[in-house]
Amino acid sequence: MEIKVLKNILDVNDQIAEQNRKLLKEKRIMMINVWASPGAGKTTLLLRTAEALKGKTRMAVIEGDVASSIDTVTLVEAGVTAIQINTEGGCHLDAGMISAALQNLPLEELDIIFVENVGNLICPGSFDLGEYKRIIVASTPEGEDKPHKYPLMFTIADACIVNKIDLIPYVNFNIENFTRTVTGMNPDIEMFKISGVNGEGIGEWTEWVTRELGEYRK
Amino acid sequence: MEIKVLKNILDVNDQIAEQNRKLLKEKRIMMINVWASPGAGKTTLLLRTAEALKGKTRMAVIEGDVASSIDTVTLVEAGVTAIQINTEGGCHLDAGMISAALQNLPLEELDIIFVENVGNLICPGSFDLGEYKRIIVASTPEGEDKPHKYPLMFTIADACIVNKIDLIPYVNFNIENFTRTVTGMNPDIEMFKISGVNGEGIGEWTEWVTRELGEYRK
């Protein structure tokens, strides 16, 4: 008789993440895990992304927050399919939460699911959710030193979006230095520069998303 | 025979925090635990605070980061006594780390120790370090909804500093709404508005620090 021992919380998480990944593959849905600090502009990015993909690609958002459903209300009011997870103190989403959320989404009607993780540059990086791609949103007022201080996520992300480029004239942020640091840690990362407020750069970003969806479905 | 069982990591932490608190009381040093998101401006606040207190109050900084010693280098170059803790992946400081740091600081020559916690609005709120006061730094580009999304720290902090008020003309942040939200959750909290960049509001903040030091030493 073989006895299975689930060694620790990360083992359990990885098993459920693989189940999520398999389910999404069957349904041909690409899932993207979105990481950032609090207030870096994840929700605004996703609103802009939904506008740009409208009528072409069907997307939904799984919204993770410690508390409140402010962002889900914003997304739903804008016509985006969205579902809220409240971690009630927890500092990251895990694969089990995503599994539960997937059961409550209309999977037959979706091409892409964005997971807006809890605003945190540390803990979410250790939890695979079953996603296909991981992106990190950095915002210019946070300063260009963040990759040095929070290296894990910048090292393992597939793409990095620099948001709030409209604020560059008013803050101390050299985008060339920042890009050099990030690509030095992670040479294969895709870099995008956007302004969630005025929509600059959203076209390049959503072209990448669409191209990745094509690759995923090959 | 009484057998002591240390129930969990938080019990152990609380015991060490009490030891830290007792040691600091003996040495008449006030310790302040500083919380914020990544990039909210904790280090700049502490640099400005050191400038304002220079020649009057002797301060040191315990600097917590997942990785790097960028902030400690900045502080030491500016003449501030500072010591770095790298959590190497950990998302918060704990009382044991502070205990070790205290053994490496010249306690006989200090009035105040500021602990710059890891940039994270969630996990550090659960770990008592033995501090006398806890402050949370919020910055205007993060948006005014953060207290709703990350309620614990805003609810248990003794003071809230709104930083980057110089950026208010360029971002979507209504300071009256923000203040109403925070004081609604935490009626006794002290509110300060500052600009780390131009020094606005630092006087009121350091007056409060000096007054609290007097109270602590009574």
Side-chain angles (χ1 to χ4, degrees), chain A residues 37-39 65-68 70-71 89-91 118-123 141-142 145-146 148-151 164 167 170-171, chain B residues 37-39 65-68 70-71 89-91 118-123 141-142 145-146 148-151 164 167 170-171:
Chain A
S37 298
D65 282 297
V66 173
S68 92
I70 296 171
D71 291 343
C91 53
V118 177
N120 181 337
L121 282 191
I122 310 160
C123 318
E142 293 169 45
D145 58 357
K146 291 303 151 294
H148 294 293
K149 293 186 185 171
Y150 307 90
K164 308 193 190 182
L167 292 179
Y170 315 112
V171 297
Chain B
S37 298
D65 281 296
V66 173
S68 92
I70 297 171
D71 291 343
C91 53
V118 178
N120 181 337
L121 283 190
I122 309 162
C123 318
E142 294 169 43
D145 59 357
K146 292 302 150 298
H148 293 293
K149 293 186 182 170
Y150 307 91
K164 307 193 189 181
L167 292 178
Y170 315 112
V171 298

Side-chain angles (χ1 to χ4, degrees), chain A residues 178-197:
Chain A
F178 178 84
T179 303
R180 204 176 303 124
T181 304
V182 175
T183 55
M185 298 166 76
N186 184 349
D188 297 327
I189 200 166
E190 297 276 342
M191 298 292 298
F192 299 96
K193 303 170 194 178
I194 71 152
S195 164
V197 171

Side-chain angles (χ1 to χ4, degrees), chain B residues 140-215:
Chain B
T140 61
E142 294 169 43
E144 64 195 59
D145 59 357
K146 292 302 150 298
H148 293 293
K149 293 186 182 170
Y150 307 91
L152 174 65
M153 285 187 175
F154 286 95
T155 306
I156 64 177
D158 297 294
C160 175
I161 296 183
V162 183
N163 189 19
K164 307 193 189 181
I165 56 170
D166 53 293
L167 292 178
I168 286 181
Y170 315 112
V171 298
N172 185 13
F173 186 89
N174 181 314
I175 200 159
E176 285 74 31
N177 286 349
F178 178 83
T179 303
R180 204 176 303 121
T181 304
V182 175
T183 55
M185 299 166 75
N186 184 348
D188 296 328
I189 199 167
E190 297 276 341
M191 299 292 300
F192 299 96
K193 303 171 194 177
I194 72 151
S195 164
V197 172
N198 66 32
E200 198 182 336
I202 292 293
E204 290 86 337
W205 153 246
T206 52
E207 275 170 31
W208 181 81
V209 169
T210 306
R211 207 163 53 238
E212 289 298 331
L213 179 62
E215 284 294 317

Side-chain angles (χ1 to χ4, degrees), chain A:
Chain A
M1 191 175 79
E2 191 193 352
I3 296 173
K4 279 189 184 168
V5 179
L6 294 177
K7 269 186 292 186
N8 61 44
I9 197 166
L10 281 171
D11 279 2
V12 175
N13 185 78
D14 286 352
Q15 287 208 3
I16 304 175
E18 280 313 315
Q19 290 167 15
N20 292 345
R21 194 170 277 115
K22 192 161 165 268
L23 171 66
L24 291 164
K25 196 77 194 174
E26 281 166 19
K27 302 289 180 189
R28 293 169 59 75
I29 300 169
M30 176 171 79
M31 188 162 81
I32 296 183
N33 188 355
V34 183
W35 296 329
S37 298
K42 294 184 291 302
T43 310
T44 307
L45 168 71
L46 295 177
L47 281 169
R48 289 284 180 182
T49 304
E51 281 168 24
L53 296 179
K54 199 169 184 173
K56 293 178 280 191
T57 307
R58 301 164 303 170
M59 69 172 257
V61 176
I62 298 173
E63 185 61 53
D65 282 297
V66 173
S68 92
S69 55
I70 296 171
D71 291 343
T72 295
V73 170
T74 305
L75 289 159
V76 169
E77 282 179 354
V80 182
T81 302
I83 185 167
Q84 180 76 45
I85 299 172
N86 275 162
T87 64
E88 293 180 358
C91 53
H92 59 271
L93 295 177
D94 64 33
M97 297 174 190
I98 298 302
S99 174
L102 293 177
Q103 290 169 38
N104 287 282
L105 281 171
L107 300 185
E108 307 302 330
E109 299 161 26
L110 292 175
D111 301 305
I112 301 180
I113 296 173
F114 288 96
V115 178
E116 184 178 337
N117 218 310
V118 177
N120 181 337
L121 282 191
I122 310 160
C123 318
S126 301
F127 287 80
D128 183 7
L129 306 180
E131 70 273 358
Y132 177 62
K133 294 285 173 187
R134 300 178 279 217
I135 68 157
I136 183 158
V137 184
S139 72
T140 61
E142 293 169 45
E144 65 195 59
D145 58 357
K146 291 303 151 294
H148 294 293
K149 293 186 185 171
Y150 307 90
L152 174 66
M153 286 187 174
F154 285 95
T155 306
I156 65 177
D158 297 294
C160 174
I161 296 182
V162 183
N163 189 20
K164 308 193 190 182
I165 56 170
D166 53 292
L167 292 179
I168 287 180
Y170 315 112
V171 297
N172 184 12
F173 186 89
N174 182 313
I175 200 160
E176 284 74 31
N177 286 350
F178 178 84
T179 303
R180 204 176 303 124
T181 304
V182 175
T183 55
M185 298 166 76
N186 184 349
D188 297 327
I189 200 166
E190 297 276 342
M191 298 292 298
F192 299 96
K193 303 170 194 178
I194 71 152
S195 164
V197 171
N198 66 31
E200 198 181 335
I202 292 293
E204 289 86 338
W205 152 246
T206 53
E207 274 169 31
W208 181 81
V209 170
T210 306
R211 206 162 56 238
E212 288 298 332
L213 179 62
E215 283 295 318
Y216 173 74
R217 287 180 162 176
K218 260 185 190 163

Side-chain angles (χ1 to χ4, degrees), chain B:
Chain B
M1 191 175 80
E2 192 194 350
I3 295 174
K4 279 190 186 166
V5 180
L6 293 178
K7 269 186 293 186
N8 61 45
I9 197 167
L10 281 172
D11 279 2
V12 175
N13 185 78
D14 286 352
Q15 288 207 2
I16 304 175
E18 280 312 316
Q19 290 167 14
N20 292 344
R21 194 170 277 115
K22 190 161 164 269
L23 172 65
L24 291 164
K25 197 75 193 174
E26 280 166 18
K27 303 288 182 187
R28 293 170 58 77
I29 300 169
M30 176 171 78
M31 187 162 81
I32 297 182
N33 188 357
V34 183
W35 295 329
S37 298
K42 294 183 290 302
T43 310
T44 307
L45 168 71
L46 295 178
L47 281 169
R48 289 283 180 183
T49 304
E51 281 167 25
L53 296 180
K54 198 169 184 173
K56 292 178 280 191
T57 307
R58 301 163 303 169
M59 68 173 257
V61 176
I62 298 174
E63 186 60 54
D65 281 296
V66 173
S68 92
S69 54
I70 297 171
D71 291 343
T72 296
V73 170
T74 305
L75 288 160
V76 169
E77 283 180 354
V80 182
T81 303
I83 185 167
Q84 181 76 45
I85 299 172
N86 276 162
T87 63
E88 292 179 0
C91 53
H92 60 270
L93 295 177
D94 65 32
M97 297 174 189
I98 299 302
S99 173
L102 292 177
Q103 289 167 39
N104 287 281
L105 281 171
L107 300 185
E108 307 303 330
E109 300 161 24
L110 292 175
D111 301 305
I112 301 181
I113 295 173
F114 289 95
V115 178
E116 184 176 336
N117 219 311
V118 178
N120 181 337
L121 283 190
I122 309 162
C123 318
S126 302
F127 287 80
D128 183 6
L129 305 180
E131 69 273 359
Y132 177 62
K133 293 286 173 185
R134 300 178 280 216
I135 69 156
I136 183 159
V137 183
S139 72
T140 61
E142 294 169 43
E144 64 195 59
D145 59 357
K146 292 302 150 298
H148 293 293
K149 293 186 182 170
Y150 307 91
L152 174 65
M153 285 187 175
F154 286 95
T155 306
I156 64 177
D158 297 294
C160 175
I161 296 183
V162 183
N163 189 19
K164 307 193 189 181
I165 56 170
D166 53 293
L167 292 178
I168 286 181
Y170 315 112
V171 298
N172 185 13
F173 186 89
N174 181 314
I175 200 159
E176 285 74 31
N177 286 349
F178 178 83
T179 303
R180 204 176 303 121
T181 304
V182 175
T183 55
M185 299 166 75
N186 184 348
D188 296 328
I189 199 167
E190 297 276 341
M191 299 292 300
F192 299 96
K193 303 171 194 177
I194 72 151
S195 164
V197 172
N198 66 32
E200 198 182 336
I202 292 293
E204 290 86 337
W205 153 246
T206 52
E207 275 170 31
W208 181 81
V209 169
T210 306
R211 207 163 53 238
E212 289 298 331
L213 179 62
E215 284 294 317
Y216 173 74
R217 287 180 162 178
K218 260 184 191 167

